[in-house]
Amino acid sequence: MKRPTIADIARRAGVTKSTVSFALNDRPGVSDATRARILDIAREMGWQPSRTARALSGGRAGVLGLVVDRPARTLGVEPFYMQLISGIEAELSSRDIALLLQVTDDARAQEATYRRWWAERRVDGVFLVDLRVDDERAKVLAELGMPAIVVGGPHGLGGLPGLWNDEVAPVRSVMEYLVALGHRRIARVAGLPGLWHTVMRDEAFEQAARELGVTPSGGTADYTGDEAARVTRRLLASSAPPTAIVYDNDVMAVAGLDVAAEMDIRVPDRLSIVAWDDSVLCRLVHPPLTAVGLDIAAYGAEVARRLADLAAGRPVTSACHATAVLSPRGSTGPLR
């Protein structure tokens, strides 16, 4: 069935297309009775405004964009992004704003996507995620004059507003907890190097280790189970293996738990495991994973509110959203 147009409504109502346009856009020049009749016909025919046409005529597109520079296969298994997007979607749908999602291979492709979207007036603004230390995207967005908000911070915002979670205090909290359990050899399996939140957690981990008398170790992975398993095997096979490991996400922590079972290392008797980004996954495994977490969906909703306001021309400031909380479970215990 063909999508109804303004011309179809005009024919049905017996008026000109300009009269229909005035009525649908609530502009003067149309009597109340005619406006009501045109709106009734439009509803009856199932007419909806074209976001593209509205944008080309100088209005807003009613769409916000999210470009993620991650392999699609890893994006699909990482609960953090699923929760973040669910929060963004919940808020935007309540405002009748659509979300346009694009997965790219690298930073250059991501920048090209921003330029294309803005030139085609496909979006009113974008969410900037996975902020890197050497990030050029803020400069590109400023050059385009494109509304944007950083999902992260406070470092490297490049003049853009940002909303972040405290990355430092939870690291200290985890380290103090593990030390209180008797652990002195603690490893950290970090996510992608070069991301600001990875750098901040690394620095907080190293500082806490120095101050608490801990011997630190670790490695980096790409947030997938396969890479985390590889790093975990190396750590546990070393001459002085860690007695506790902290992972940068839940998927990697579950992989670490599997490796411990594979190597006949009992958790938590001989190894304690802590996951970042608490999720249902952490509670489904045995033993359930001690985890650091917060309401990621609420975080996504608040970021969406701020970008919607920014795209509408309202001022938006940077802020810290929340501090993650440690939830002890069965994967951590006293060193035996």
Side-chain angles (χ1 to χ4, degrees):
M1 185 174 170
K2 192 182 106 174
R3 181 185 304 170
T5 65
I6 285 179
D8 296 328
I9 298 171
R11 278 193 295 273
R12 176 80 70 85
V15 297
T16 64
K17 289 193 291 184
S18 60
T19 300
V20 173
S21 178
F22 283 2
L24 294 176
N25 289 288
D26 199 24
R27 292 169 59 186
V30 182
S31 70
D32 290 344
T34 300
R35 188 187 309 277
R37 184 162 59 90
I38 289 171
L39 292 176
D40 285 342
I41 292 171
R43 277 192 292 270
E44 181 185 325
M45 296 178 71
W47 178 86
Q48 291 292 330
S50 165
R51 294 183 187 273
T52 303
R54 186 167 58 188
L56 290 173
S57 66
R60 293 201 295 273
V63 179
L64 297 177
L66 171 62
V67 185
V68 182
D69 183 13
R70 295 274 187 94
R73 64 182 180 83
T74 63
L75 190 64
V77 299
E78 193 175 353
F80 172 84
Y81 264 109
M82 295 302 99
Q83 293 176 46
L84 181 74
I85 291 171
S86 73
I88 290 173
E89 271 286 4
E91 178 61 27
L92 295 186
S93 63
S94 71
R95 296 171 178 246
D96 195 27
I97 298 174
L99 176 66
L100 180 57
L101 175 65
Q102 177 80 48
V103 178
T104 59
D105 295 329
D106 53 42
R108 195 178 297 273
Q110 194 169 157
E111 292 171 11
T113 300
Y114 293 144
R115 293 183 186 280
R116 186 179 74 255
W117 281 357
W118 197 238
E120 295 173 356
R121 301 184 184 181
R122 294 185 65 185
V123 299
D124 299 318
V126 292
F127 301 95
L128 190 61
V129 296
D130 286 341
L131 195 64
R132 299 183 296 271
V133 173
D134 59 351
D135 220 311
E136 294 290 322
R137 290 174 297 169
K139 187 188 298 183
V140 171
L141 293 170
E143 172 192 318
L144 294 172
M146 190 178 195
I149 188 166
V150 178
V151 185
H155 303 296
L157 294 176
L160 297 176
L163 188 70
W164 60 89
N165 297 309
D166 186 348
E167 301 290 352
V168 175
V171 174
R172 179 77 187 199
S173 176
V174 167
M175 293 291 278
E176 289 177 345
Y177 169 67
L178 292 173
V179 167
L181 292 174
H183 298 280
R184 294 297 182 272
R185 295 198 306 274
I186 303 175
R188 167 170 149 72
V189 178
L192 295 171
L195 297 180
W196 264 116
H197 69 261
T198 302
V199 171
M200 287 188 286
R201 290 179 192 175
D202 283 344
E203 292 174 350
F205 176 77
E206 290 164 7
Q207 181 178 344
R210 285 194 302 271
E211 294 174 354
L212 297 171
V214 166
T215 300
S217 59
T220 60
D222 60 357
Y223 299 110
T224 65
D226 290 343
E227 278 296 298
R230 179 186 59 78
V231 176
T232 304
R233 288 189 189 96
R234 176 179 60 78
L235 290 169
L236 295 179
S238 65
S239 57
T243 62
I245 305 179
V246 182
Y247 293 86
D248 248 3
N249 78 350
D250 45 1
V251 173
M252 295 198 295
V254 170
L257 189 63
D258 285 344
V259 169
E262 166 194 312
M263 299 178 69
D264 198 25
I265 298 173
R266 290 180 61 83
V267 175
D269 294 349
R270 292 176 54 201
L271 177 69
S272 284
I273 292 178
V274 179
W276 228 260
D277 298 336
D278 193 7
S279 69
V280 173
L281 187 60
C282 294
R283 296 185 286 277
L284 290 178
V285 294
H286 181 77
L289 291 171
T290 293
V292 175
L294 47 76
D295 190 338
I296 300 299
Y299 180 39
E302 180 58 26
V303 169
R305 274 191 289 274
R306 288 169 178 257
L307 182 55
D309 286 346
L310 192 65
R314 292 186 283 274
V316 172
T317 58
S318 297
C320 179
H321 174 253
T323 300
V325 175
L326 175 67
S327 297
R329 297 193 184 103
S331 68
T332 50
L335 182 60
R336 296 181 183 176

